[in-house]
Amino acid sequence: MAFSMPALISRPFPLFASAALLRVGMLLYGLWQDANSPVKYTDIDYLVFTDAARFTFSSSPSASPYERETYRYTPLLAWLLYPTTFPNAFCFSLGKVLFAAADLLAGYLIIHVLRRHMHMPLDRACRFASIWLLNPMVATISTRGSSEGLLGVLVTALLWAALERRVVLSGVLLGLGVHFKIYPFIYAPAVIWWMDNEHMTATASQTNSTPTGEGKAKGVVAGRNQDDPSTLLGKIAAFATPERIQLTLISLATFAGLNMAMYAIYGMPFVTHTFLHHVTRIDHRHNFSPYNVLLYLTSSSSASSALLSSSTQYQTPSWATKIESVAFVPQLLLSTILIPLVGAKKDLPTTMMAQTFAFVAFNKVCTSQYFLWYMVFLPLYLPNSSLLRKPVLGVTALALWVLTQGLWLQQGYNLEFLGLSTFVPGLWLSSLAFFAVNCFILGLIIDDLGTPYV
Amino acid sequence: MRHRITFFHRNEHGIEPSSLEIRDRSISGPDLVAVREHRVTLALEELPAELQELLHEIHELHIRWSSPQAHDTLGPWTSRLPPGLHTFYTPQTASATDSVRLCTQLRAAFGDLDCLSPAESFTKLPTDRFSHSTAFQYFQPLDALTNLSTYAEQYACNSGDLDCKKWAQELGNAVSLDLSYDAISHAVKITAIWSEQRQQLLIDSYPDHRTEIGILTPDSPPHLESHELGVTGLLTVLGEDTKPSPVLFAFPSRHKDASSTFSSSFLRPLGLHPTLQLRINSGNPPSQDSSCSLHAYLTLPRSIFADKYQLGDELFLSSKNLSALRYISQPVDLEAPDYAMNSWGSSVLLELQPPSIQGESPWTAEIPLHLRYLSPGEGGYSSINVPWPAVFWACNTEEGTKFVNSPFDRANLGYDGLFGPRTLFWHLTPGSEGKSDLNHQIRVPVLDLNKTQWVSTGTTAVVLVGFAYIVFKLASVYWRRGYGSQKPATKSEKKKHLAFVLLFYDPVTKYLTAGQEPQLLPRTPRPQINESLLAIDAGNETAPLSCSPDAYSVHILSKAPLVVYIENFLSLDEREHLFQISEPLFEPSTITNDGDKTQHNALVRDSEVALIPRTDVVRCIEERARSFQGWRDDLWIERLRTQRYGPSQHYTHHFDWGSGARGWGRVSSFMVWVKTHDIEGGGTEFPRLQRNGPDQPWCRWVECPDPDLANPSNDNTKKEDGEPITGVTFKAVPGNAVFWENFRPDGTGRGWEETWHAGLPVRKGTKVGLNVWSWGRLTS
């Protein structure tokens, strides 16, 4: 073998070439499988996107992506997929090419952040970036046509822009990300909290300072508008730096501007499907969320009591029916307040990883696509992680994560394909076990926030 | 009212025309093996007022019921439907769909239907394609017409009319029932069919009813077209004819028997995505000279549905021996659980793909379906009914063919509106050996209600524990490294944040315990107490004390809680005396956490304490403290203690209230300053106490911001460690004291959170303080 594996992934060109080849290979294989097998390689969502794009660019007067049932995304996505509406099998796959390219761009940004802001030599940065670039799960998801890759690149770009102190760009990316998929709003407090004088004035050329960690040069804060930090007003004034205000306003303007534009074009269906759907959805088909079985129980009991069909009445504690409305409290408290507050100034990438992890673990709906949301931060978190420093711990965490997911999947298989009623205890307990493991891992990530780099 | 009764028998079951006896308004004859149809036509005016009113809102209404019992068809009644109750409906005005009247009436007639109102429970039909389709459709599996038969007996028959009652009862055995109304003809046509059986031929009629009797059998008149049906037989109009008139005629028929069969079953295991398999015994179209395609028409209750997107891929369809999805009700929610929907379900028309080499060999087609989540139920499984589909060949007939004016015409079946007007339907007979029920009863896994008692509590507990664990992890990171990028939080920062957390903790606990009103404490007898710690005078020790008159002055700092600043509580002599008797006795302080055990922890409290002897001077101070608290019973002064704080010694924030016996405790505290030497720091801080007015003249005794901001080097707006001043911090002024009550006076035994206080670290010098605690009843 001409190249050993480490050599292959330690240099950018071979790394990106193999990442691209991997995706091209999977894309071609997907085309073959779609053409020859009743079981499709292409994700059902991709058909939703491309249908939506066709509807959007159809000549009918009511042309809108929301003509397509279950299209719950921004019209931007349908616009991006305009080329897929050309009557040509190759053009139909251009969306997947776009998603795969987004993967590569995210990988590029990861290497950039690792080198410039975490001061890692290129070869090591490439090796860590390969966790994302050569990850078969990531490549599969984007070549099957799921749009999560776009989110990956948006979020990495947001991190990169923030670390580069490109405030305007960060604001635009943040607003765009939230417009695209809502959840990136959790990064707003982290980025804003991180943007203190210390982080915003250290120049990028200061090689001894890492904006993400230790060793910042003190004293560069001089020359700033020094409000008296002792009074509350003074504190607020000191907190409200021009950069923070700028970021807030630009991201809000981007978000609001996009929404207004989309509302102007597509009207209420845009609001209903892109945003309100996520608030009112009641499809609680089994998923990894710890709340899943409880939501099934409470949603059905509220539905049956609404219909007053006395034959199906049964009791759930009255407080349990409120769970649905308070479930977001621990989730948002952790992911938007506590984790950013404690971590953002110490290590922005790891904080964003922890926020995403908490958001996904505590979410009311959790499918494996959501895992991609935090996977994009793995190459940035792992270099200073106790999971790598203590291999036993790392392997244990990974094994537990896989094992409890496996347990759940087995219960899910028994339900979905064998028709066994495994909701309780099987599915319920395994989702709680998976949740517990997630908390354990999140605890490790947070511990690492408190451990100075070695 | 017109009444038409038609018997249709096979050729071999024919009867002699001469054996029929027609007398007056009745006909009788030998027993007959035949299929029987009754058709009653009623004018709107002949109906009960209630029904008339309902029908006035309706433009078109067609109810079709088909029995789930497998049965052969004969003659003109060959059309097939999935078993169950089908309703096709067009309202007069769009707003009528919101009315519950139709559903109420349907429920009254057919029993427990899951029908709220047409707007909620019906699905829309495509009206743009062919004009002969109604606007709405409703379907529900319904095994028998027993409810209708009772309903008819009660509401349609006069009490003495036994014939009518018999007819109504027989409805319970019918295999098919049609009810049609349209606003143009203003007539209701009710058609019921009974399957082939041996039956008595004896019919009476009423004078004012036209009753027509037909006894027919298939025949082939010359020039019979393929879309026509030929019959021969005898017709009699009761009351008019004296003998049956023989007839031979042909009429166009939309529906014919394809003389092949199919059966339907679900592949095992079912899972949540069951596959319906249709086994068809022949792939040959019924007619070689016209284009025919084989279709399956499904009416799926809402618990099960087909995904039109899945059925959009040709390769996939072809692998299941399907050609195309021709029609599916719109919209079909692909995600909602059953219990969140009102719509009855969906109808689906699929074109099947027979083997390319035609032949008589059986073949199968598979229809992938999906189950919704159903309401949780006892035992973990719920059973649902899925009717067999209707399977038929749809063949085009020649240009110009018309299917009008047929005496046995049957339209509005749901699928016929999806085809062109010249389509001829050749029906496959459903059934397989030993199976007569044309419903699939399938078992759907649901959440088992017998096992859910721990789900709410368990989920909440696990999520809360997980959340608490993460918060704990975050807190420990914060404790080690603060929130900043490198330096850990200063002690005072932590303290303040802890106070902040406690401040939030309180409303949270209040929210959680909302609804629990604070309980008034019962009046309990004095518990056993360690009297050696109280300043109780023994009986023989009541020698009168000669105390000097009180010389203090009081200043109320706060009324709720009561906090009083006392100037000159101790005289100079008393202070000297206290200092001297304490000096040899100081030992490291203890703190009490549970009332019994005492422990020492320098992190919390770092000072020296002396339990001082009760000299006369001390007893005078006790007496002063006792009488200061006024007119109350059950109050004792605890033995006095002096405290000495050296450099960096302190007592962290705490409450004085001791959790002793229920209803009893440490009701109030005095902090008295005895002596200071070259003191810096060492104030007594109440971080939650409000500063209620201008600082002056309190600044003599409490820490205040320095108004002189022009001089930042002398920054008095901050405490020693640079924190802004909140709450109240008393300076250590020898001789003065601060008094506060620990418990709310409302008798609930709740303490005042505002009394949370600390002895701040002494930075320089020493401080000697005196604690005077009073113990007694909380509820006084």
Side-chain angles (χ1 to χ4, degrees), chain A residues 131-132 155 159 183 186-187 190 334-335 339-340 343-344 347-361 370-383 385 387 401 438 441-446 448-449:
Chain A
I131 297 174
W132 171 260
V155 167
L159 172 65
Y183 90 90
I186 60 173
Y187 304 128
L334 286 180
S335 60
I339 293 175
D347 182 344
L348 189 55
T350 301
T351 300
M352 286 166 76
M353 163 102 188
Q355 285 179 283
T356 322
F357 208 94
F359 188 88
V360 171
Y370 294 14
F371 303 156
L372 216 64
W373 295 356
Y374 53 75
M375 235 171 238
V376 72
F377 293 112
L378 268 184
L380 302 169
Y381 159 66
L382 282 180
S385 147
L387 299 178
W401 190 75
N438 274 324
I441 295 174
L442 181 56
L444 293 177
I445 300 172
I446 288 169
D448 289 338
L449 277 173

Side-chain angles (χ1 to χ4, degrees), chain B residues 257-264 278-285 294 352 354-355 358-365 391 393 427-433:
Chain B
D257 184 11
S259 63
S260 56
T261 63
F262 79 98
S263 67
S264 167
L278 301 179
R279 177 171 292 274
I280 292 143
N281 77 341
S282 159
N284 283 342
L294 185 63
L352 311 183
Q358 292 178 0
E360 289 300 319
S361 56
W363 58 283
T364 60
V391 179
W393 292 90
H427 290 273
L428 276 66
T429 306
S432 56
E433 297 79 37

Side-chain angles (χ1 to χ4, degrees), chain B residues 65-254:
Chain B
W65 176 80
S66 179
S67 160
Q69 290 296 316
H71 57 272
D72 286 332
T73 58
L74 198 59
W77 306 301
T78 40
S79 64
R80 299 268 186 185
L81 271 171
L85 184 74
H86 305 252
T87 303
F88 302 94
Y89 163 69
T90 307
Q92 280 290 13
T93 57
S95 60
T97 56
D98 293 319
S99 155
V100 297
R101 204 182 277 180
L102 176 61
C103 283
T104 313
Q105 204 50 247
L106 285 175
R107 278 201 305 271
F110 293 97
D112 190 20
L113 300 182
D114 189 5
C115 178
L116 299 173
S117 73
E120 287 171 283
S121 304
F122 286 35
T123 51
K124 279 203 177 78
L125 282 173
T127 45
D128 49 333
R129 294 180 66 180
F130 303 106
S131 59
H132 57 285
S133 172
T134 58
F136 294 95
Q137 177 181 17
Y138 175 82
F139 168 80
Q140 176 151 337
L142 180 71
D143 285 351
L145 293 179
T146 39
N147 197 88
L148 181 72
S149 122
T150 322
Y151 177 84
E153 205 179 328
Q154 283 173 353
Y155 294 102
C157 300
N158 295 325
S159 54
D161 190 344
L162 294 178
D163 272 353
C164 177
K165 291 199 169 185
K166 181 168 161 272
W167 194 81
Q169 280 160 11
E170 280 189 354
L171 269 183
N173 305 322
V175 293
S176 154
L177 177 93
D178 288 7
L179 187 151
S180 285
Y181 168 80
D182 65 76
I184 294 159
S185 70
H186 265 261
V188 177
K189 280 184 211 157
I190 303 167
T191 311
I193 296 171
W194 286 263
S195 61
E196 187 179 26
Q197 57 190 298
R198 176 171 293 276
Q199 53 206 293
Q200 204 187 2
L201 180 57
L202 172 61
I203 296 159
D204 288 318
S205 77
Y206 300 94
D208 53 341
H209 293 174
R210 180 189 154 88
T211 305
E212 191 181 354
I213 314 288
I215 300 170
L216 303 173
T217 190
D219 199 353
S220 308
H223 315 302
L224 188 71
E225 304 272 341
S226 70
H227 67 277
E228 287 180 328
L229 197 73
V231 294
T232 181
L234 305 164
L235 289 183
T236 314
V237 179
L238 293 184
E240 289 179 14
D241 300 337
T242 49
K243 64 181 179 65
S245 15
V247 286
L248 171 65
F249 61 101
F251 55 88
S253 174
R254 277 174 219 273

Side-chain angles (χ1 to χ4, degrees), chain B residues 285 287-292 395-398 426:
Chain B
S287 157
Q288 297 294 347
D289 50 353
S290 60
S291 66
C292 294
C395 301
N396 280 331
T397 54
E398 283 163 37
W426 298 81

Side-chain angles (χ1 to χ4, degrees), chain B residues 362-541:
Chain B
W363 58 283
T364 60
E366 279 153 19
I367 304 171
L369 298 171
H370 308 274
L371 286 167
R372 292 185 195 282
Y373 266 30
L374 308 184
S375 287
E378 310 273 334
Y381 295 93
S382 289
S383 140
I384 61 165
N385 249 338
V386 182
W388 283 35
V391 179
F392 51 82
W393 292 90
C395 301
N396 280 331
T397 54
E398 283 163 37
E399 201 75 44
T401 312
K402 286 214 163 60
F403 288 108
V404 288
N405 297 329
S406 152
F408 302 105
D409 190 34
R410 195 182 189 208
N412 289 299
L413 300 172
Y415 53 83
D416 53 348
L418 304 169
F419 291 89
R422 289 186 294 107
T423 309
L424 181 56
F425 301 97
W426 298 81
H427 290 273
L428 276 66
T429 306
S432 56
E433 297 79 37
K435 188 146 169 50
S436 63
D437 187 2
L438 302 185
N439 270 325
H440 297 286
Q441 284 259 344
I442 62 174
R443 203 177 69 142
V444 181
V446 297
L447 178 55
D448 185 351
L449 274 183
N450 294 332
K451 295 182 185 164
T452 53
Q453 67 270 34
W454 292 108
V455 167
S456 311
T457 337
T459 308
T460 313
V462 168
V463 170
L464 284 182
V465 167
F467 176 69
Y469 174 73
I470 303 300
V471 170
F472 166 75
K473 283 285 178 188
L474 284 164
S476 62
V477 168
Y478 171 75
W479 210 256
R480 286 204 307 277
R481 293 190 60 207
Y483 63 75
S485 58
Q486 43 187 339
K487 68 172 173 34
T490 64
K491 253 187 190 159
S492 65
E493 267 176 354
K494 284 178 186 170
K495 211 161 58 196
K496 241 184 50 205
H497 294 142
L498 190 65
F500 182 75
V501 168
L502 284 172
L503 214 67
F504 275 93
Y505 169 79
D506 186 52
V508 170
T509 48
K510 273 187 184 145
Y511 171 76
L512 288 177
T513 55
Q516 288 178 357
E517 283 300 308
Q519 302 267 311
L520 288 185
L521 284 172
R523 206 174 160 83
T524 51
R526 194 182 112 176
Q528 196 73 34
I529 48 172
N530 184 354
E531 294 197 352
S532 69
L533 290 174
L534 294 183
I536 297 175
D537 291 331
N540 57 356
E541 254 186 306

Side-chain angles (χ1 to χ4, degrees), chain A residues 117-118 163 194 210-214 216 346-349 453:
Chain A
H117 302 284
M118 293 169 75
L163 292 177
W194 174 87
T210 68
T212 59
E214 295 300 291
K216 253 143 325 262
K346 298 187 181 67
D347 182 344
L348 189 55
Y453 291 166

Side-chain angles (χ1 to χ4, degrees), chain A residues 40 214 286 296 346 416 421, chain B residues 273 313 373-374 446 481-482:
Chain A
K40 300 300 168 193
E214 295 300 291
H286 40 284
Y296 176 17
K346 298 187 181 67
E416 189 99 30
S421 178
Chain B
H273 305 279
D313 180 67
Y373 266 30
L374 308 184
V446 297
R481 293 190 60 207

